[in-house]
Amino acid sequence: MATFVLVPGMLHGAWWYRPLTDGLRAAGHEVYPLTLTGVSERGHLNNGAVNLDTHVQDVLATLEAERLTDVVLVGHSYGGMVLSGVADRAPGRIAALVYADAFVPRDGESAYRIVNDVWKQRYLAGAAAGGGVTVVGSNPALDPRATVHPTASLFQPVALTGAGEAVTRRVYIHAERFEDSPLLETYDRLRDDPAWTVHTLPVGHDLIHEAPEEFLKIALSAAE
């Protein structure tokens, strides 16, 4: 039995992972899908102080409180920023990292710095709509449960010491049909890197609904 901790992307809560959560539990694994501070059912905690460090601490606190070790840490989209911060601070608790069409930042990079110009404008427009404290999503295709997201978490650079490099089992899932994807540069950087196992799926960014079986298969393989 493996232990999975699932970190969602911006605007989304633990509910986004329900198909993967159910599949992993059916296979006999322990699963902790998380909702980050200031999002979804934890939206009442939102304020201008919630940032990337807050979200990294959300995960670290779960690892500590539940006494979790040998964890397969899965992150979607913005969740990759959180994964990298957690792996840097608690590499001894992590067995594998699965970045599901997600950011893989280098030291000093923020989500805003990584994204392309199209997404920079979307972030800025969303932040303006949220009064600077939150980012408001404008895509009508979003799940109706999607909420606002703490603005500071997208603009705060991640601080990495390199300690996370001790986690050698690293998986990346690239969604090749994500229109205007801000993650193409990340994919190009990783796809030929021997330190990474890279999968390409012919789907959009909403992996959990567009490729649930493939996502589950990749997650399970990361635990082997």
Side-chain angles (χ1 to χ4, degrees):
M1 182 181 71
T3 300
F4 288 81
V5 174
L6 313 179
V7 182
M10 65 179 292
L11 312 176
H12 294 73
W15 48 263
W16 185 81
Y17 276 111
R18 179 56 65 84
L20 182 63
T21 299
D22 291 346
L24 292 171
R25 286 175 176 163
H29 300 295
E30 190 173 8
V31 190
Y32 295 83
L34 304 184
T35 294
L36 300 172
T37 299
V39 187
S40 194
E41 72 271 21
R42 303 189 70 203
H44 62 287
L45 301 175
N46 213 339
N47 58 59
V50 177
N51 57 21
L52 176 59
D53 284 342
T54 309
H55 292 163
V56 170
Q57 188 55 42
D58 284 339
V59 182
L60 292 173
T62 298
L63 300 181
E64 182 65 29
E66 299 292 346
R67 298 180 178 178
L68 303 181
T69 57
D70 295 323
V71 169
V72 179
L73 196 56
V74 181
H76 176 244
S77 195
Y78 162 78
M81 299 293 299
V82 182
L83 256 63
S84 292
V86 172
D88 190 77
R89 289 157 180 76
R93 290 183 179 268
I94 311 301
L97 295 165
V98 179
Y99 290 79
D101 210 37
F103 294 110
V104 183
R106 290 165 285 201
D107 180 46
E109 290 184 329
S110 65
Y112 180 78
R113 178 175 176 180
I114 293 171
V115 298
N116 56 34
D117 289 342
V118 170
W119 280 90
K120 280 183 169 62
Q121 291 304 312
R122 291 178 182 175
Y123 280 8
L124 292 173
V133 175
T134 61
V135 171
V136 177
S138 59
N139 188 343
L142 281 172
D143 189 292
R145 293 171 291 180
T147 67
V148 296
H149 188 91
T151 299
S153 68
L154 304 178
F155 290 86
Q156 182 187 19
V158 67
L160 302 176
T161 67
E165 298 297 324
V167 183
T168 57
R169 200 183 316 166
R170 295 167 173 262
V171 178
Y172 192 84
I173 305 172
H174 170 60
E176 64 180 359
R177 294 181 183 171
F178 180 15
E179 187 177 356
D180 296 323
S181 174
L183 303 167
L184 292 177
E185 184 177 332
T186 299
Y187 168 64
D188 288 340
R189 172 163 57 94
L190 301 180
R191 62 181 177 177
D192 295 322
D193 188 333
W196 288 80
T197 299
V198 178
H199 302 268
T200 299
L201 299 179
V203 297
H205 191 51
D206 192 9
L207 296 172
I208 204 73
H209 296 109
E210 297 184 50
E213 294 182 3
E214 293 87 346
F215 197 174
L216 175 60
K217 182 178 179 180
I218 292 169
L220 288 170
S221 69
E224 294 176 355

